[in-house]
Amino acid sequence: MKIFIDPPNSMILFDLVERFGHEPLSTMAALQEKIDNIEVDMPPMNVTLDDVVKGLKYAGIEVPSGVRGRLAIWGPMIEEADAAIVIEEAPFEFGCVGCERSELMVKYLLQRRGIPVLKLDYPGDEEDGKVFVGKIKEFLEGLN
């Protein structure tokens, strides 16, 4: 199954989802496709007219361009996802979340999709970390 991870660039979540036999949908994979694409001359100048149009599907023109840009990448992944894992209150080193408005839109899009979503608080210590990984494992195994 395809699992959207939030924060979408979390290497920890990417690894856990892969270890338990699912396909993580992440920013890294989506951007790799764009960078490898011949149409893109040079990163970071990797925004095409199609990207702008995709972003407008998820947020209006009055929304800041950074939010639309993130949603142009994350929106199609959410539409493709069979389930999602969302980490609340994650520190930036866990995976940059961009901005609060983008996060609110991601949560709204996930809720609107109606797919199974596991929401967890970021663990505070080693014991919480073990419980955190256990809940992710249980959730992912339950999807099969």
Side-chain angles (χ1 to χ4, degrees):
M1 295 185 90
K2 295 180 179 185
I3 312 297
F4 179 78
I5 57 175
D6 184 34
N9 62 342
S10 170
M11 295 299 289
I12 294 169
L13 287 178
F14 188 97
D15 182 60
L16 286 171
V17 169
E18 258 190 348
R19 282 180 194 232
F20 295 117
H22 297 281
E23 179 184 342
L25 299 175
S26 70
T27 300
M28 293 86 66
L31 291 181
Q32 181 66 43
E33 287 177 23
K34 297 182 87 31
I35 291 170
D36 288 345
N37 187 338
I38 301 299
E39 289 180 30
V40 177
D41 293 332
M42 61 180 185
M45 305 301 283
N46 55 4
V47 176
T48 64
L49 182 57
D50 290 340
D51 296 325
V52 174
V53 173
K54 280 183 194 173
L56 288 172
K57 178 180 178 181
Y58 304 102
I61 192 72
E62 70 281 353
V63 173
S65 60
V67 174
R68 281 195 320 273
R70 289 180 188 95
L71 293 176
I73 301 293
W74 299 343
M77 289 190 300
I78 291 171
E79 289 180 5
E80 188 180 351
D82 299 310
I85 299 173
V86 176
I87 307 305
E88 306 282 357
E89 305 299 325
F92 286 116
E93 60 269 11
F94 185 74
C96 180
V97 293
C99 73
E100 185 62 25
R101 295 293 174 234
S102 298
E103 279 296 299
L104 291 173
M105 285 300 298
V106 163
K107 290 174 183 165
Y108 169 74
L109 291 172
L110 288 170
Q111 179 183 0
R112 192 172 78 181
R113 275 290 320 279
I115 59 176
V117 177
L118 174 64
K119 292 184 181 179
L120 294 172
D121 289 329
Y122 184 80
D125 57 30
E126 186 176 337
E127 196 57 41
D128 288 345
K130 291 176 184 175
V131 172
F132 175 85
V133 171
K135 287 182 179 179
I136 291 172
K137 179 181 185 237
E138 183 180 319
F139 175 74
L140 293 172
E141 288 175 344
L143 294 174
N144 291 332

